[in-house]
Amino acid sequence: MRIAVFGGDGFIGWPTCVHLSSLGHDISIVDNLSRRRIDVELGVQSLTPMDSIQERLRIWKQVTGRTIRFELLDIADDYFRTRHWLDGYRPDAIIHLAQQRAAPYSMKSDWHKTYTVNNNVNATHNLLNALVDLKMDAHFVHMGTMGVYGYSDIGATIPEGYLDVGIQDDLGNLISKEILYPANPGSVYHMTKCLDQLMFAFYAKNDSLRITDLHQGVVWGTHTSQTRLHDQLVNRFDYDGDYGTVLNRFLIEAAIGHPLTVHGTGGQTRAFIHIQDSVRCIEIALNNPPERGERPKIFNQMTETFRIRDLAKLVAEMSGAEILHVPNPRKEAAENDLKVSNEQFLELGLKPTTLKVGMLEELVDVARKFAHRIDQSKIPAQSAWTPELQSQISSIVDLGKASRKA
Amino acid sequence: MRIAVFGGDGFIGWPTCVHLSSLGHDISIVDNLSRRRIDVELGVQSLTPMDSIQERLRIWKQVTGRTIRFELLDIADDYFRTRHWLDGYRPDAIIHLAQQRAAPYSMKSDWHKTYTVNNNVNATHNLLNALVDLKMDAHFVHMGTMGVYGYSDIGATIPEGYLDVGIQDDLGNLISKEILYPANPGSVYHMTKCLDQLMFAFYAKNDSLRITDLHQGVVWGTHTSQTRLHDQLVNRFDYDGDYGTVLNRFLIEAAIGHPLTVHGTGGQTRAFIHIQDSVRCIEIALNNPPERGERPKIFNQMTETFRIRDLAKLVAEMSGAEILHVPNPRKEAAENDLKVSNEQFLELGLKPTTLKVGMLEELVDVARKFAHRIDQSKIPAQSAWTPELQSQISSIVDLGKASRKA
């Protein structure tokens, strides 16, 4: 297949590209390298030493003999160049990862909210729009998030995208309907993924685009079979308060002997998936496209759920680290249950990597190995959801500074 | 009240501003005058001779002694200038009409789709974002559309924004929930209004913004009590295939002795409201804001429903015009029923103007009065929803040209 990977330089994008390239697909990356720009903005860097995309591709060619092309292009900003590029490449499938993907970054300031909405909405819409105008029947695979569901408060397992409901008609009869699961986003970032869903529904209905939306959980892990092939093919590893997800931050804290910082009670339950499973899911989704005229196909791309405090306990037991509860910068329920259906991927052959098995390798091969590169000041989450939450966090940060001075 | 009217130069905006000004409110208009630019693009003009916004405001001051200010500003394009302007004016309420509002225009080409999504999403989000950042508790009133609902296929009356559904939990119990009515937009334009709804839900939940969304039907009529006060205060009247709504086009066709062009079977049922009732509804909504922390308040802003072919019959009986069925450029059901709840506005004192009563005045005072300004070539709807529908329409248009030549 000819596959265009938009956002192919990112955390999911890079291992996806080398995974699909190793399977023999023709891969072209389109990326504006915004994630690297944001590293510069935040003064952070990947824990793993990461080369330029061009150097990565040179090494990939050297190690495997396979060519992956790269186009520097901002698809959110330039519709007509995006259309022109697509018209030249004519892919069989598109993988759309070209979105700002951190909830805390999206809540950092008004500028970051504007940037996230403008970037994410236009990136998605420009691609859909160009496919229609070019009469191109490429399968469109999008990276969404479990966060579109919010967290169920009715004791029902979260289905894969669509929900059966009963509605009363004017004669009092109960009519059964399957609807898109009602959106309940927890941040501006998550909100943009909910907006995506409505655009997908419209373009599938009006233009018969073939669209797959992957509702992914929190991704953990760094290496995949392909990124392990050479040091310079290593995937990025983020541990900062904006882009570092919860397990990464625990591992880093463990590696440097810092207590594991749990937000609030740690009663939040989240869905997880390993990066190797994530790229495998994308492969499975590519091989199982919806038909033309079908509604968007939605998969829940996750393999297990954990309560955050239980996750902290696991890391603490493995590493000997202590646990420290700090104020939660997010506006969310202190405790939630989460049951998720993920039968589609399991039926299509996914064999999950579990946290209990894979976590030690992450601690040893990544967090401890590169511990000398950790900037401890970047670990705390400092982007709060509201001004009130911001002041709670700031007072703690100030306290930390004061205690260091004392 | 200090009221900022974004999009205050448009078809709903202008009569809203003079209505609220006459009630003694302090009104500031912010508009990028995009609707006038689109007139230039399409080579069309309002049937009613319409002055510049500055001239309109000079006349309003002369006739009533009241001052309305005007700021030329593109709120979709410039977040920080929008924020700065809001910080200076500090309104008690915001009326947000600053969106591209024609479904056919939104489907005209890929450029028009991109423009509509980018403009409409960013306009809404920039306002919400600025209100939060400025800690401004202004009541936010948005003009939405009945089109967010799609058209019910289950024989149930469309409620005002929220739908009661039953959901089965994991124990088999039926749980009752009230959800945002599942979105089912029929065009890119309508889709943007569905995206708006999700943004409203998020900002009401996360930041306790007080938001009212008006799901408006097809607006007809030209004059309100205030626009009648002086010739130069007249409202715009669009009759072209993109911006002219169905009743306007029938009246224009009747005025020049052209058959009334009904799309398809004319079996589509739509909701209608007179412009005088529309501005009155906005006034009522302003006086009945939601509480802080409440979910967005949604009103159905419509007063009656008509099947399009019945509407054509009404105009035909009144004017003697014939009826001509032409292919429908829209991808939609040929026939639909539509029952809509609008109890909230009726309970709050709205006294509807009915089509049967008001239509003759429109024919005489507007369509026939300005018939000499009609460009007949602009009446047919020429923006189709898909390439297939485009070719059906084009062949008819070509046929028309051929028969005129012959």
Side-chain angles (χ1 to χ4, degrees):
Chain A
M1 267 194 271
R2 294 166 73 76
I3 304 174
V5 183
F6 294 89
D9 185 47
F11 170 62
I12 307 289
W14 174 243
T16 298
C17 290
V18 288
H19 180 77
L20 297 173
S21 176
S22 74
L23 293 172
H25 295 298
D26 182 287
I27 307 294
S28 277
I29 293 174
V30 177
D31 203 303
N32 66 354
L33 306 184
S34 62
R35 188 65 195 82
R36 294 175 187 257
R37 176 188 60 71
I38 292 173
D39 277 346
V40 174
E41 173 197 348
L42 301 178
V44 300
Q45 57 186 3
S46 167
L47 184 71
T48 49
M50 184 179 62
D51 282 314
S52 72
I53 180 67
Q54 291 89 346
E55 178 67 3
R56 284 171 150 185
L57 296 179
R58 187 181 71 82
I59 302 292
W60 180 247
K61 172 84 177 177
Q62 181 184 301
V63 171
T64 66
R66 298 184 188 278
T67 300
I68 296 178
R69 274 157 296 184
F70 167 61
E71 181 84 6
L72 182 67
L73 166 56
D74 188 332
I75 65 165
D77 186 55
D78 195 338
Y79 168 74
F80 283 102
R81 222 187 114 200
T82 304
R83 183 191 186 286
H84 178 76
W85 185 88
L86 278 170
D87 197 20
Y89 185 58
R90 293 258 150 200
D92 303 303
I94 281 175
I95 300 173
H96 172 33
L97 311 159
Q99 297 188 300
Q100 195 295 98
R101 56 111 168 149
Y105 185 84
S106 79
M107 301 302 284
K108 215 171 173 59
S109 78
D110 56 346
W111 182 87
H112 294 87
K113 291 177 188 175
T114 290
Y115 167 73
T116 301
V117 168
N118 186 48
N119 182 75
N120 289 9
V121 171
N122 280 312
T124 295
H125 186 255
N126 283 347
L127 290 175
L128 298 169
N129 194 6
L131 286 184
V132 170
D133 201 59
L134 292 166
K135 299 182 177 60
M136 204 179 274
D137 185 29
H139 176 205
F140 184 98
V141 178
H142 172 255
M143 186 54 69
T145 169
M146 288 290 305
V148 299
Y149 301 118
Y151 296 100
S152 175
D153 52 353
I154 56 165
T157 298
I158 292 179
E160 304 207 54
Y162 299 97
L163 179 68
D164 285 316
V165 298
I167 304 172
Q168 210 166 45
D169 73 9
D170 288 347
L171 303 171
N173 303 313
L174 201 67
I175 309 290
S176 185
K177 288 274 283 182
E178 204 180 19
I179 63 170
L180 189 65
Y181 197 97
N184 185 17
S187 75
V188 166
Y189 154 75
H190 292 103
M191 183 182 82
T192 66
K193 299 285 186 175
C194 298
L195 305 184
D196 287 335
Q197 291 195 93
L198 291 186
M199 294 193 273
F200 297 151
F202 175 75
Y203 277 96
K205 179 179 75 165
N206 195 70
D207 301 288
S208 303
L209 291 190
R210 295 183 297 134
I211 299 172
T212 297
D213 201 4
L214 305 172
H215 289 185
Q216 190 166 250
V218 179
V219 183
W220 64 280
T222 309
H223 302 305
T224 65
S225 312
Q226 289 74 41
T227 66
R228 271 202 196 83
L229 292 176
H230 189 289
D231 277 353
Q232 284 183 268
L233 296 177
V234 72
N235 197 13
R236 64 178 300 136
F237 180 103
D238 299 307
Y239 65 90
D240 64 279
D242 285 321
Y243 279 87
T245 49
V246 56
L247 182 65
N248 279 13
R249 288 190 297 110
F250 287 166
L251 292 172
I252 289 297
E253 289 170 331
I256 61 172
H258 190 282
L260 312 182
T261 48
V262 172
H263 294 163
T265 63
Q268 315 89 335
T269 308
R270 292 289 181 271
F272 291 86
I273 185 169
H274 188 271
I275 183 71
Q276 179 72 66
D277 294 344
S278 179
V279 301
R280 171 79 176 121
C281 285
I282 291 173
E283 176 199 341
I284 293 172
L286 281 172
N287 292 334
N288 294 278
E291 301 288 327
R292 271 184 82 80
E294 210 179 301
R295 70 183 183 188
K297 205 163 180 170
I298 300 177
F299 293 88
N300 289 339
Q301 185 159 315
M302 50 71 68
T303 57
E304 39 187 350
T305 60
F306 276 95
R307 212 172 274 272
I308 301 302
R309 60 173 169 254
D310 296 333
L311 191 64
K313 260 184 232 162
L314 274 179
V315 177
E317 283 162 16
M318 187 178 69
S319 64
E322 289 180 11
I323 291 174
L324 179 69
H325 290 268
V326 298
N328 188 357
R330 302 187 184 214
K331 188 163 176 174
E332 62 185 355
E335 306 268 330
N336 73 282
D337 287 324
L338 183 62
K339 281 174 287 180
V340 184
S341 166
N342 66 338
E343 284 162 29
Q344 292 180 100
F345 275 133
L346 296 178
E347 281 169 13
L348 291 167
L350 178 68
K351 305 267 176 275
T353 309
T354 62
L355 256 161
K356 283 183 187 168
V357 170
M359 199 163 54
L360 182 63
E361 184 192 301
E362 277 299 304
L363 181 65
V364 175
D365 284 6
V366 182
R368 285 191 182 145
K369 180 174 174 188
F370 295 108
H372 59 286
R373 287 170 56 90
I374 295 170
D375 176 352
Q376 194 175 332
S377 73
K378 300 298 184 188
I379 304 174
Q382 297 189 17
S383 305
W385 263 229
T386 65
E388 296 72 36
L389 293 166
Q390 191 68 59
S391 62
Q392 286 178 30
I393 297 169
S394 302
S395 64
I396 294 292
V397 172
D398 291 346
L399 216 70
K401 281 183 189 155
S403 73
R404 275 201 293 280
K405 274 184 203 162
Chain B
M1 268 195 270
R2 295 166 73 76
I3 305 173
V5 183
F6 294 89
D9 184 47
F11 170 62
I12 307 289
W14 175 243
T16 297
C17 290
V18 288
H19 181 76
L20 296 173
S21 176
S22 75
L23 293 173
H25 297 297
D26 182 287
I27 308 294
S28 277
I29 293 174
V30 177
D31 203 301
N32 65 355
L33 306 184
S34 62
R35 187 64 196 82
R36 294 176 188 257
R37 176 189 59 70
I38 292 173
D39 276 347
V40 175
E41 173 197 348
L42 301 178
V44 300
Q45 57 186 1
S46 166
L47 184 72
T48 49
M50 184 178 64
D51 282 313
S52 73
I53 181 65
Q54 291 88 346
E55 177 67 4
R56 285 170 151 185
L57 296 179
R58 188 182 70 82
I59 301 293
W60 180 246
K61 172 84 178 177
Q62 181 185 302
V63 172
T64 67
R66 297 185 188 275
T67 300
I68 297 177
R69 274 157 298 185
F70 166 62
E71 180 84 5
L72 182 67
L73 167 55
D74 188 332
I75 64 166
D77 187 55
D78 195 336
Y79 167 74
F80 282 102
R81 222 187 112 200
T82 303
R83 183 191 185 286
H84 177 76
W85 184 88
L86 278 169
D87 197 20
Y89 185 56
R90 293 259 150 195
D92 303 302
I94 281 176
I95 301 173
H96 172 33
L97 310 159
Q99 298 188 300
Q100 195 293 100
R101 56 110 168 149
Y105 186 83
S106 79
M107 301 302 283
K108 215 172 173 58
S109 78
D110 56 346
W111 182 87
H112 295 86
K113 291 177 189 176
T114 290
Y115 167 73
T116 301
V117 168
N118 186 49
N119 182 76
N120 288 11
V121 171
N122 281 313
T124 295
H125 185 255
N126 283 349
L127 290 175
L128 298 169
N129 194 6
L131 286 184
V132 171
D133 201 58
L134 292 166
K135 299 182 177 60
M136 203 179 275
D137 185 29
H139 176 205
F140 184 98
V141 178
H142 172 255
M143 186 53 69
T145 167
M146 289 290 305
V148 300
Y149 300 118
Y151 296 101
S152 174
D153 52 353
I154 56 164
T157 298
I158 291 178
E160 304 207 56
Y162 299 96
L163 179 68
D164 284 317
V165 299
I167 304 172
Q168 212 166 45
D169 73 8
D170 289 349
L171 302 172
N173 303 314
L174 200 67
I175 310 291
S176 184
K177 288 273 283 182
E178 202 179 22
I179 62 170
L180 189 64
Y181 197 97
N184 185 18
S187 75
V188 165
Y189 154 74
H190 292 103
M191 184 181 82
T192 66
K193 298 284 185 175
C194 298
L195 305 184
D196 286 335
Q197 292 195 91
L198 291 186
M199 294 193 274
F200 297 151
F202 175 75
Y203 277 96
K205 180 180 73 165
N206 195 71
D207 301 287
S208 304
L209 291 190
R210 295 183 297 134
I211 299 171
T212 297
D213 200 5
L214 306 172
H215 289 184
Q216 189 165 252
V218 179
V219 183
W220 63 280
T222 309
H223 302 305
T224 65
S225 311
Q226 289 74 40
T227 66
R228 272 202 195 85
L229 292 176
H230 190 288
D231 277 353
Q232 284 182 268
L233 295 176
V234 72
N235 198 13
R236 63 178 300 137
F237 180 103
D238 299 306
Y239 65 90
D240 65 280
D242 284 320
Y243 279 87
T245 49
V246 55
L247 182 65
N248 278 13
R249 289 191 295 109
F250 287 166
L251 291 172
I252 289 298
E253 289 170 331
I256 61 173
H258 190 281
L260 312 181
T261 48
V262 171
H263 293 163
T265 63
Q268 314 90 334
T269 308
R270 293 289 181 270
F272 292 86
I273 185 168
H274 188 271
I275 184 71
Q276 179 72 66
D277 294 345
S278 179
V279 301
R280 170 81 175 119
C281 285
I282 291 172
E283 176 199 340
I284 294 172
L286 280 172
N287 291 335
N288 294 277
E291 300 289 323
R292 271 185 83 79
E294 208 178 305
R295 70 183 183 188
K297 204 163 181 172
I298 300 177
F299 293 88
N300 289 338
Q301 186 159 315
M302 51 71 68
T303 57
E304 41 188 347
T305 60
F306 277 94
R307 211 171 274 272
I308 301 301
R309 60 174 168 253
D310 296 332
L311 191 65
K313 260 184 234 164
L314 274 180
V315 177
E317 282 162 17
M318 187 180 69
S319 65
E322 288 179 13
I323 291 174
L324 179 68
H325 292 268
V326 298
N328 189 358
R330 301 186 184 216
K331 188 164 177 174
E332 62 184 355
E335 307 267 330
N336 74 280
D337 287 324
L338 182 62
K339 280 174 288 181
V340 184
S341 165
N342 66 339
E343 283 161 29
Q344 291 180 102
F345 274 133
L346 296 178
E347 281 169 14
L348 291 167
L350 178 68
K351 304 267 175 274
T353 308
T354 62
L355 256 161
K356 282 183 187 169
V357 169
M359 199 163 53
L360 182 63
E361 183 192 302
E362 277 299 304
L363 181 65
V364 175
D365 283 6
V366 182
R368 284 191 181 145
K369 179 174 175 189
F370 295 107
H372 59 286
R373 286 169 56 90
I374 295 169
D375 176 354
Q376 195 175 333
S377 73
K378 302 296 185 189
I379 304 174
Q382 296 189 18
S383 304
W385 264 229
T386 65
E388 297 71 38
L389 293 166
Q390 192 68 59
S391 61
Q392 287 177 29
I393 297 169
S394 302
S395 64
I396 295 291
V397 172
D398 291 347
L399 215 71
K401 281 184 189 156
S403 74
R404 276 202 292 280
K405 275 185 202 163

